[in-house]
Amino acid sequence: EDQVTQSPEALRLQEGESSSLNCSYTVSGLRGLFWYRQDPGKGPEFLFTLYSAGEEKEKERLKATLTKKESFLHITAPKPEDSATYLCAVQMGTGNQFYFGTGTSLTVIP
Amino acid sequence: ETGVTQSPTHLIKTRGQQVTLRCSSQSGHNTVSWYQQALGQGPQFIFQYYREEENGRGNFPPRFSGLQFPNYSSELNVNALELDDSALYLCASSFRLAGNTGELFFGEGSRLTVL
């Protein structure tokens, strides 16, 4: 059973066209939800950590929000350099592992 | 501040061989985790090392093993390589405090191809 599901799998936006990426999770005892950006052939780059429902974090054109069952990554007025795969991960219970989704591949067209 | 560094960046092995991948933690971090990322998939947890001991393991067979050294660097060893072991191997370091792993900071990965 998938514990972290991301949608859509791929998203193409025109430069300046705002949108949202979704990460839904089916875990109990959430300790943290994490967003990462990954460029092709590179390691994931840390963006945000969210710990409790209602929490929001912002960084430049990105804003992450968290509810009890899902998280959204809002991208406002994206630029071509925002093109990447965005990964969501959760940490739960007493375990040490992060459970990753398969990511959303974002392409921003000039 | 030095980030997480991994070596080698790319390598090609044949089925049945053994491989060792290396990782240097980010300065100030005390925990190392290893993840396997197949093409088009999210990273999958292999194991974590803290205080030079394995501290959590994902669904990987015993032929995947590791070490953490006193300077917090780490090695991932894979024996009896199989074709399905072809993937990007990611090392992530973090600062573990009060039992919490903390945010993971990843290296650029080692791309392993098994022929």
Side-chain angles (χ1 to χ4, degrees), chain B residues 9-10 15 30 44 50 55 57 59 89-90 92 113:
Chain B
T9 54
H10 296 83
R15 195 170 50 183
N30 58 11
Q44 297 289 316
Y50 173 65
N55 187 45
R57 188 179 185 94
N59 189 26
Y89 287 85
L90 296 163
T113 302

Side-chain angles (χ1 to χ4, degrees), chain B residues 23-30 32 52 68-74:
Chain B
C23 171
S24 294
S25 299
Q26 181 169 313
S27 175
H29 286 180
N30 58 11
V32 174
E52 301 176 48
Q68 185 186 30
F69 300 100
N71 65 353
Y72 305 118
S73 65
S74 177

Side-chain angles (χ1 to χ4, degrees), chain A residues 31 34 36 38 41-44 46 49 51 87 91 95-98 100-102, chain B residues 35 37 41-43 45 48 55 90 96 99-108:
Chain A
R31 290 168 57 191
F34 305 82
Y36 287 84
Q38 186 172 28
K42 304 291 187 181
F46 171 74
T49 307
Y51 291 107
L87 294 165
Q91 190 181 22
N96 296 317
Q97 70 182 86
F98 283 34
F100 281 84
T102 54
Chain B
Y35 284 77
Q37 187 176 25
Q41 301 298 312
F45 177 69
Q48 182 185 90
N55 187 45
L90 296 163
R96 181 186 171 103
N100 192 359
T101 297
E103 291 93 357
L104 299 178
F105 291 86
F106 286 88
E108 298 291 356

